[in-house]
Amino acid sequence: MKRFAKRTVLVTGAAGQIGSACAAAFAAEGARVAAVDRTAPAAHGVLALSADLSVPAELERAFDAAERELGPIDVLVQSAAVHMRVPFLEISAENIDHVLGVNVRALLLGARRAAASMVARGARDGVIVNLTSVSGVVADAESIAYEASKGAVTMATRGMAVALARHGIRVVAVGPGSMAKFQELPARDPADVDDYERRRIPLGRLGTAAEISDAILFLASPAAAYVTGTVLYVDGGSLAAW
């Protein structure tokens, strides 16, 4: 029996590397998968939905469509995020609103929407997995709004876990390391990346999207039934060595 047979999974940010890897992995494990992004992901075997999650009405429409087509959401994976590198003295209200609108407000509203559905039908095995980042605990001078948003995701995960535990809903987070950071930054000289690996990542290499999705599937599975309110960092040991 596949781990997620007869389960409905909604993945946001599903056009990105981590989101698309998650959607494919859940589908391979038997789940009915809704893949949501601003541009509908071109993914085989999943329901692709287009939505700007920073607009609450579009978020609601996407979640409604997923449940109408696939059934009630059992697992929500919130991978949608934006990362803008701006020197702090140049940061604008628009920069801040955009980053926090996608990375925090949409995440809170998405979790509330999925949890309300789970509670209404009496499901006691729902799971919400949020994507945070090592950037929520390690500072970079030009990513302050992003770092603030990821710190907020960590605390939101803890708070939601406490609030929803009595309903049998688990809320957890996965924090990718430098793999996610380098994907979002401009192209770098390979020699620079190699040097970074040697100096800052004990395992000596960047992570892969598949390794992040493996962690997400574990946390969403019955094997993690006693895990809630915590962050699993998948970072090659970089936080331990920072």
Side-chain angles (χ1 to χ4, degrees), residues 103-199:
N103 297 7
V104 181
R105 186 179 66 174
L107 179 135
L108 289 169
L109 293 177
R112 185 189 69 180
R113 169 62 177 77
S117 175
M118 296 169 186
V119 171
R121 69 178 189 275
R124 296 195 60 82
D125 59 354
V127 185
I128 297 169
V129 184
N130 300 320
L131 267 291
T132 182
S133 169
V134 296
S135 293
V137 292
V138 175
D140 173 79
E142 295 187 354
S143 299
I144 294 172
Y146 179 76
E147 291 158 358
S149 76
K150 290 304 181 179
V153 170
T154 295
M155 288 309 301
T157 297
R158 292 174 178 170
M160 289 189 288
V162 173
L164 297 174
R166 66 189 182 92
H167 299 290
I169 299 169
R170 295 189 297 109
V171 187
V172 291
V174 170
S178 57
M179 183 277 308
K181 285 169 44 176
F182 274 119
Q183 286 172 353
E184 292 165 359
L185 297 177
R188 300 169 70 95
D189 187 299
D192 292 338
V193 176
D194 289 344
D195 183 58
Y196 178 93
E197 292 172 3
R198 286 193 297 271
R199 290 185 294 109

